[in-house]
């Protein structure tokens, strides 16, 4: 059954907008995705019908808020194949989830230990480990990639050693679109008994993730990349590992017993979730995951693949356009350079035509330096984009090319 893209688009109110009188062509989905009405309704309904704090109240509203909030944990746990619901820890996003791992696993690092990351990291999964290594005296090893944006697997194997304590890599590169062979990389790291953290910020929205099947220890992602609100995300971690960690933040809800001179900690997930959480955000994330689970995911994946193929065909006919990131296994991210024009100028001209893209270093400065470029223009596609929008992108690019010639 082919996808009814018009019906899908109708569920995303913002896509009806015009920008300077032109229909919005939203191609900045790797930065953040738009929200379906189901998610907006879930948030509005929470605030209009049952706003209260969770886990605390002795009243009806609080019970209802707690039920909705904890139901979201069940929904997310099922979506990612988490063996235990308490392994789903709410965070503010991928960045906080990775920092939580650095606080937990990072405190166990010591001089002589090694942490492996890749050349294609987002700053969130690079700077966090760079700083954790500086604090602990561990060394940071950076696995190289080929010019195409594919990871050099031989180099990865060679970097693994008996000193490797943790390996962190992206499921999908935000700058290049590369889909990494996460199961294979995890299996290799596990041969050395290393902990494995997958930065799933870009991977989560493009199909099923089964953390148990992957075999990793941690999978981090942000709600806003998967049709949910900003300010909420997930660290999934193996219970047997999370339970051994020192606490992260202290305060309400994460304790078991408190006295003036000592405190003891509660069980997972609470021990890693101090203070009043982003209740509406969590409920919105639950609604987004539920909404996505009800879609025909293979059809969505096929549609995204077709969009990328179509964009690549168009790009091949456009003189002066260079695609950055040509891995065989890619999702709908098209980073590019055009005739030496500055990406910011391209973005500006496209915006005047209603086409929203990202420009700059893609939060991956070392990767841009590695590629010898200051940054890229990046169009990123989602399930609600259309072939016509790609035509509009290329029409706008032709104009930009003429103006910048
Ligand atoms: C690969 C990758 N990792 C981490 C992040 C950080 O996500 P957030 O800013 O939502 O915490 C992003 C955001 O673009 C990303 O693309």
């Amino acid at each position: 059954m082919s996808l009814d893209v018009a019906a899908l688009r109708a569920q995303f109110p913002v896509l009806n907008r015009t920008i300077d009188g032109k229909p919005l062509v939203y191609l900045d989905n790797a930065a953040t995705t738009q929200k379906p009405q189901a998610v907006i309704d879930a948030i509005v309904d929470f605030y209009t019908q049952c706003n209260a704090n969770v886990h605390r109240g002795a009243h009806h509203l609080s019970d209802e808020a707690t039920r909705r909030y904890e139901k979201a944990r069940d929904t997310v746990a099922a979506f990612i194949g988490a063996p235990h619901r308490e392994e789903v820890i709410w965070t503010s996003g991928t960045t906080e989830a990775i920092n939580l791992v650095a606080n937990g696993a990072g405190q166990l690092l010591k001089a002589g230990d090694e942490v492996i990351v890749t050349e294609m990291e987002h700053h969130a999964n690079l700077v966090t480990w760079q700083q954790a290594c500086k604090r602990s005296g561990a060394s940071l090893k950076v696995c190289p990639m080929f010019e195409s944006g594919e990871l050099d697997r031989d180099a990865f194997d060679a970097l693994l050693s008996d000193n490797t304590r943790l390996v962190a890599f992206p499921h999908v590169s935000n700058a290049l679109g590369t889909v990494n062979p996460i199961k294979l990389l995890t299996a290799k790291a596990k041969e050395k008994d290393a902990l494995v953290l997958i930065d799933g910020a870009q991977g989560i929205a493009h199909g099923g993730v089964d953390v148990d099947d992957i075999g990793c220890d941690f999978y981090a992602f942000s709600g806003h990349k998967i049709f949910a609100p900003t300010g909420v995300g997930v660290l999934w971690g193996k219970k047997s590992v999370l339970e051994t960690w020192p606490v992260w933040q202290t305060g309400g809800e994460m304790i078991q017993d408190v006295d003036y001179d000592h405190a003891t900690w509660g069980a997972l997930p609470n021990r890693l979730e101090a203070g009043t959480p982003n209740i509406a955000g969590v409920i919105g994330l639950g609604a987004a995951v539920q909404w996505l689970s009800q879609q025909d995911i293979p059809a969505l994946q096929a549609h995204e693949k077709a969009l990328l193929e179509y964009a690549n065909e168009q790009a091949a006919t456009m003189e002066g356009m260079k695609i950055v990131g040509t891995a065989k296994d890619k999702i709908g991210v098209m980073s590019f350079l055009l005739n030496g024009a500055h990406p910011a100028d391209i973005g500006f001209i496209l915006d005047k035509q209603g086409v929203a893209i990202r420009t700059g270093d893609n939060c991956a400065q070392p990767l841009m330096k590695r590629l010898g470029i200051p940054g890229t223009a990046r169009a990123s596609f989602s399930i609600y984009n259309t072939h016509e929008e790609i035509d509009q992108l290329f029409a706008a690019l032709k104009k930009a090319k003429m103006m910048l010639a």
Side-chain angles (χ1 to χ4, degrees):
M1 208 176 70
S2 76
L3 189 68
D4 184 347
V5 185
L8 191 71
R9 285 179 72 78
Q11 298 183 57
F12 289 80
V14 79
L15 298 178
N16 288 324
R17 265 207 67 169
T18 52
I19 305 289
D20 288 339
K22 313 237 169 40
L24 167 68
V25 177
Y26 186 76
L27 300 177
D28 196 15
N29 295 287
T32 200
T33 52
Q34 298 302 345
K35 318 305 169 200
Q37 192 63 50
V39 170
I40 298 166
D41 287 347
I43 297 165
V44 171
D45 194 60
F46 168 71
Y47 281 125
T48 50
Q49 294 302 319
C50 82
N51 177 51
N53 213 328
V54 289
H55 299 147
R56 291 157 166 80
H59 56 83
H60 185 94
L61 280 195
S62 177
D63 285 349
E64 206 173 307
T66 304
R67 265 201 308 279
R68 291 188 192 195
Y69 174 83
E70 288 300 336
K71 184 168 165 251
R73 204 186 302 272
D74 292 330
T75 306
V76 169
F79 185 66
I80 61 171
H84 307 281
R85 69 183 304 281
E86 63 271 32
E87 295 179 327
V88 172
I89 309 295
W90 303 124
T91 65
S92 65
T94 310
T95 303
E96 191 177 67
I98 294 171
N99 276 273
L100 173 50
V101 179
N103 184 78
Q107 288 203 16
L108 309 174
L109 293 174
K110 56 184 186 329
D113 289 346
E114 293 170 359
V115 172
I116 300 178
V117 294
T118 73
E119 277 186 339
M120 65 180 90
E121 300 306 332
H122 184 283
H123 295 156
N125 204 33
L126 170 64
V127 183
T128 309
W129 293 111
Q130 180 193 83
Q131 296 302 311
C133 286
K134 281 188 197 295
R135 282 194 297 275
S136 62
S139 6
L140 186 70
K141 307 276 173 188
V142 182
C143 180
M145 58 168 214
F146 299 110
E147 206 64 20
S148 63
E150 270 160 27
L151 204 67
D152 182 338
R153 291 194 210 165
D154 291 336
F156 182 79
D157 289 352
L159 280 177
L160 286 166
S161 82
D162 291 340
N163 297 324
T164 309
R165 292 287 160 267
L166 186 136
V167 180
F169 48 82
H171 186 167
V172 171
S173 156
N174 60 309
L176 308 169
T178 310
V179 180
N180 283 310
I182 52 175
K183 205 171 162 180
L184 188 128
L185 299 178
T186 299
K188 295 268 182 196
K190 284 292 160 197
E191 283 170 18
K192 296 290 178 192
D193 277 339
L195 290 170
V196 175
L197 161 66
I198 299 178
D199 170 355
Q202 298 294 338
I204 191 73
H206 299 280
V209 166
D210 184 332
V211 290
D212 202 29
D213 180 58
I214 297 165
C216 56
D217 298 283
F218 316 109
Y219 192 94
F221 64 94
S222 304
H224 70 98
K225 312 265 192 200
I226 185 174
F227 316 113
T230 49
V232 65
V234 169
L235 172 68
W236 171 80
K238 267 188 195 152
K239 195 175 159 188
S240 55
V241 181
L242 297 184
E243 275 171 348
T244 65
W245 282 0
V247 292
W248 146 246
Q249 291 169 335
T250 49
E253 278 305 295
M254 51 74 66
I255 47 79
Q256 184 183 49
D257 181 59
V258 181
D259 225 313
Y260 282 110
D261 61 351
H262 78 277
T264 55
W265 319 130
L268 288 173
N270 300 24
R271 78 192 293 270
L272 295 174
E273 292 176 352
T276 299
N278 180 355
I279 305 168
V282 165
I283 289 169
L285 175 53
V289 167
Q290 197 176 3
W291 177 85
L292 187 57
S293 306
Q294 287 160 354
Q295 310 302 312
D296 179 348
I297 291 182
L300 299 179
Q301 288 172 321
H303 176 63
E304 276 188 37
K305 191 161 176 267
L307 290 175
L308 180 65
E309 277 167 13
Y310 185 59
N312 280 335
E313 279 163 30
Q314 302 264 359
T317 64
M318 184 132 179
E319 213 181 303
M321 184 163 178
K322 179 177 185 289
I323 302 290
V324 180
T326 53
K328 262 194 226 86
D329 199 1
K330 262 188 83 165
I331 48 95
V333 166
M334 190 176 71
S335 271
F336 60 92
L337 300 168
L338 188 59
N339 263 357
H342 197 287
D345 294 335
I346 299 171
F348 180 79
I349 296 171
L350 262 55
D351 183 47
K352 293 284 152 227
Q353 297 167 78
V355 181
I357 61 162
R358 162 95 194 247
T359 64
D361 60 26
N362 300 295
C363 291
Q365 286 181 12
L367 172 60
M368 298 298 118
K369 290 176 196 162
R370 149 76 179 83
L371 294 169
I373 54 179
T376 69
R378 182 189 71 183
S380 50
F381 314 122
S382 186
I383 53 177
Y384 39 65
N385 288 125
T386 63
H387 286 68
E388 292 71 34
E389 287 182 312
I390 291 176
D391 290 339
Q392 285 163 288
L393 164 68
F394 278 90
L397 281 174
K398 277 182 193 137
K399 244 185 209 170
K401 201 175 139 186
M402 262 165 34
M403 290 170 76
L404 296 169

